[in-house]
Amino acid sequence: MGRQRIPMVRIKKETHRQVTFSKRRAGLFKKASELCTLCGAEVGIIVYSPAKKPFSFGHPSVESVLDRYLSRNNLSITQTEKPQGNAAASSSVLNVELTQIVSQLEEEKKKGQAMAEMRRANAVRWSMTNWWERPVEEMNMVQLREMKSALEELWKIVVSETSTARQLGLRM
Amino acid sequence: MTRKKLNISYITNDSMRKSTFNKRKKGFFKKIHELSVLCGIQACAVIYSPFSSTPDVWPSNSEAKKVVEKFEEIPKIDQEKKMVNHEGFLRDSITKTRENTIKKMMDNTESAMNETMFQFLRGRGDMFQLTDKHRDDLCRHIDQHLKELYHHRKLILNQSHLEYGESSSAANAMIQPAAIAEEGSSPFPNPDAFNTARPVNELWALENNYPPAASDQQGYYQMTSPVCGYHQHPSLNLNFNPNQYQQKFVGYPNVAQDGNYNLTHNQNHQQEELLVSQMMNNSNQVRFPMMDDNNRCNYHQP
């Protein structure tokens, strides 16, 4: 990927640095999460933000990984069981859920894009015929008046159709 | 790097798992290195693979130990503020993504509604099959648009009031009633409420005396009016054939009492999809469309 290549040096601008930290930290934790799920690894991460706040990620927990690392307890707590056990069950359920919701988001984004395309296509024909599709802010008094009448008229029509549909017993 | 759709679940094949582990570990260390350089921060990572009892450590054992010791010196509360485990991390991600998805859905619904309204104004209302729920939402959207209209009108009036000064009695007369009529009145909750809109209507009538804005370059007579609804079209005669209302969609995302969108319903998607697909099928036709899809409103039906 790499939308832009950036030099591998400390970022000068503080706001930029902070933003980069936020994003990359999130990405790092995500990679760690995947590593845990895919390979059954145990991971511990500690990072300090530019503002000196500590962020940590741990699987099964930060504490257990640190304990193990500092030789306070050499054995992984899950080592005696088949790797994963209960933890795997819940994390894989969550992973599935996450995948689902992410793809839903992608769908919605695509839909939004499709509609934006359609709008752009229409925008070309704006000037004389579709002046009323422009933002309200761009209208003058006369246009506003016209628009208002049109909308009120439309409203009446739609409402009347609703009532009629109900009368005909077609409520849905 | 290949972009394949990867299912994030435990890799059961031992050799695949091992090779994936090695690759990803490498990439992971690269990422943490970049993070520490770009942001000028301290960091460390410890990874225990299922294949060995010695951990993989970044940056180095001595450096990492320093970071860990520093971490353990701070009070527990501060340690735990931004501490997360695997499950917690996943839950947070899900929540955030869900919020984004809902936002996007709402935006899309709004756009679809807007476009629908415009289609009606273009005289293409016939392309839609609307449920009552659709109509309600459409009315709400129209209402909303009208509010924006009023608001903008008020702005213009205020502006010109400043320009014309006290001498323009017409402008003057409009400012006050405008404030009363618009503030706090929701013009169209139901057909009867049309009566409450009347003062505002009279207001608009006053504007026949209103000098056309200097910016009105199009000229009144040259403008094409939006064609309202579809009263030119026979579809307004209500020969509904109940069969033509397919079971395709049921409505917008349901907002439960506690304000949570029910994402598992298909409704939300199908709602817009239907409108959007109807529009897209017809968007290029200028005239009254010959419907290919005979399931729509049939004018040939008695």
Side-chain angles (χ1 to χ4, degrees):
Chain A
M1 282 202 91
R3 276 159 275 181
Q4 304 170 11
R5 287 206 73 114
I6 50 169
M8 205 40 60
V9 292
R10 186 162 182 263
I11 295 171
K12 298 233 171 58
K13 201 164 176 210
E14 195 185 324
T15 46
H16 187 187
R17 202 162 62 226
Q18 182 57 48
V19 168
T20 301
F21 175 81
S22 269
K23 291 184 176 177
R24 279 179 176 259
R25 181 207 57 78
L28 188 72
F29 282 16
K30 183 172 179 215
K31 289 283 182 190
S33 164
E34 291 174 352
L35 195 58
C36 296
T37 307
L38 289 167
C39 308
E42 292 194 357
V43 175
I45 310 173
I46 300 174
V47 299
Y48 285 87
S49 71
K52 308 277 197 279
K53 298 276 184 281
F55 288 72
S56 51
F57 173 99
H59 177 69
S61 74
V62 172
E63 198 176 321
S64 70
V65 176
L66 292 187
D67 276 355
R68 189 177 173 189
Y69 179 55
L70 295 177
S71 302
R72 289 197 280 262
N73 170 13
N74 240 336
L75 293 174
S76 157
I77 55 176
T78 62
Q79 212 161 11
T80 45
E81 318 159 13
K82 186 129 188 18
Q84 316 310 300
N86 249 348
S90 68
S91 86
S92 67
V93 163
L94 289 174
N95 267 310
V96 167
E97 197 180 335
L98 182 59
T99 312
Q100 257 178 9
I101 192 80
V102 164
S103 68
Q104 234 181 328
L105 180 59
E106 290 307 306
E107 258 184 52
E108 292 298 324
K109 278 189 188 166
K110 271 192 216 141
K111 236 187 266 176
Q113 277 174 344
M115 287 203 275
E117 290 278 321
M118 199 166 58
R119 269 199 303 274
R120 263 193 294 270
N122 288 333
V124 179
R125 303 186 259 120
W126 258 351
S127 46
M128 291 310 282
T129 48
N130 294 21
W131 57 266
W132 34 269
E133 292 185 21
R134 308 203 69 140
V136 156
E137 297 77 38
E138 295 178 22
M139 294 188 197
N140 58 46
M141 268 319 229
V142 175
Q143 289 170 323
L144 288 177
R145 199 182 343 173
E146 279 282 321
M147 186 69 174
K148 168 195 169 293
S149 313
L151 286 180
E152 287 173 355
E153 183 69 34
L154 177 60
W155 195 89
K156 284 187 213 168
I157 291 176
V158 174
V159 166
S160 78
E161 199 172 280
T162 308
S163 324
T164 317
R166 279 192 202 141
Q167 282 170 25
L168 293 182
L170 289 174
R171 173 79 193 175
M172 29 189 122
Chain B
M1 217 166 304
T2 44
R3 298 237 114 204
K4 39 189 165 141
K5 185 70 193 274
L6 174 60
N7 224 347
I8 305 287
S9 57
Y10 184 69
I11 300 174
T12 44
N13 180 320
D14 282 350
S15 59
M16 266 212 72
R17 192 168 72 246
K18 193 163 190 183
S19 72
T20 301
F21 174 80
N22 287 326
K23 278 191 207 154
R24 280 180 173 260
K25 184 190 71 181
K26 197 170 161 207
F28 176 80
F29 282 163
K30 182 177 179 204
K31 287 280 179 189
I32 193 172
H33 168 76
E34 290 179 352
L35 176 62
S36 78
V37 168
L38 287 172
C39 303
I41 52 128
Q42 274 190 308
C44 74
V46 174
I47 303 184
Y48 284 96
S49 84
F51 314 111
S52 108
S53 55
T54 42
D56 296 291
V57 180
W58 188 93
S60 64
N61 263 310
S62 50
E63 288 298 317
K65 287 212 164 111
K66 278 191 211 158
V67 176
V68 172
E69 273 154 24
K70 176 177 173 185
F71 180 72
E72 298 204 314
E73 275 166 21
I74 66 181
K76 264 236 154 172
I77 307 177
D78 297 328
Q79 280 181 12
E80 289 171 4
K81 256 186 211 155
K82 292 294 186 178
M83 184 184 286
V84 75
N85 67 9
H86 195 190
E87 248 191 62
F89 177 76
L90 289 172
R91 282 188 208 282
D92 288 346
S93 302
I94 291 173
T95 307
K96 264 189 216 144
T97 311
R98 192 170 276 150
E99 279 172 13
N100 285 344
T101 307
I102 289 175
K103 241 184 252 169
K104 230 9 178 137
M105 281 203 292
M106 287 175 60
D107 285 347
N108 287 348
T109 306
E110 171 85 11
S111 294
M113 258 298 115
N114 204 35
E115 197 45 42
T116 306
M117 184 179 80
F118 286 158
Q119 287 289 21
F120 272 84
L121 291 175
R122 290 176 204 138
R124 304 293 310 287
D126 50 280
M127 75 166 60
F128 298 112
Q129 289 169 272
L130 298 185
T131 62
D132 281 347
K133 176 93 177 46
H134 278 138
R135 293 193 199 96
D136 285 345
D137 293 336
L138 184 57
C139 286
R140 220 169 290 139
H141 188 87
I142 295 174
D143 188 25
Q144 182 60 37
H145 208 139
L146 275 163
K147 282 204 181 95
E148 286 172 31
L149 234 150
Y150 291 147
H151 177 75
H152 185 62
R153 199 183 122 272
K154 191 157 88 166
L155 289 179
I156 295 185
L157 284 178
N158 287 342
Q159 261 182 1
S160 56
H161 178 65
L162 294 172
E163 285 170 18
Y164 287 102
E166 300 297 336
S167 56
S168 166
S169 55
N172 241 347
M174 282 185 260
I175 301 296
Q176 295 211 346
I180 297 168
E182 292 170 23
E183 237 79 80
S185 74
S186 178
F188 304 109
N190 56 56
D192 294 328
F194 243 84
N195 298 332
T196 69
R198 212 183 286 136
V200 183
N201 281 334
E202 286 167 357
L203 199 56
W204 288 83
L206 278 176
E207 287 169 10
N208 287 330
N209 300 327
Y210 189 88
S215 58
D216 177 10
Q217 286 153 11
Q218 292 191 343
Y220 185 78
Y221 301 105
Q222 293 165 15
M223 278 191 317
T224 55
S225 302
V227 177
C228 291
Y230 36 57
H231 47 254
Q232 311 169 320
H233 302 308
S235 65
L236 191 56
N237 70 19
L238 299 168
N239 291 333
F240 288 126
N241 176 358
N243 296 332
Q244 72 193 349
Y245 288 90
Q246 294 147 3
Q247 196 36 48
K248 274 196 198 157
F249 54 78
V250 191
Y252 288 96
N254 282 328
V255 184
Q257 287 304 95
D258 56 3
N260 292 325
Y261 273 87
N262 189 344
L263 287 180
T264 55
H265 279 324
N266 288 329
Q267 308 173 7
N268 19 339
H269 297 291
Q270 290 168 336
Q271 163 70 12
E272 296 147 31
E273 256 162 35
L274 192 68
L275 287 180
V276 171
S277 65
Q278 285 171 0
M279 283 188 271
M280 287 185 127
N281 287 336
N282 291 287
S283 60
N284 289 324
Q285 300 173 26
V286 179
R287 303 162 163 271
F288 191 93
M290 283 289 127
M291 298 288 185
D292 299 335
D293 184 350
N294 288 324
N295 288 329
R296 304 250 172 86
C297 287
N298 266 314
Y299 311 105
H300 311 301
Q301 295 235 338

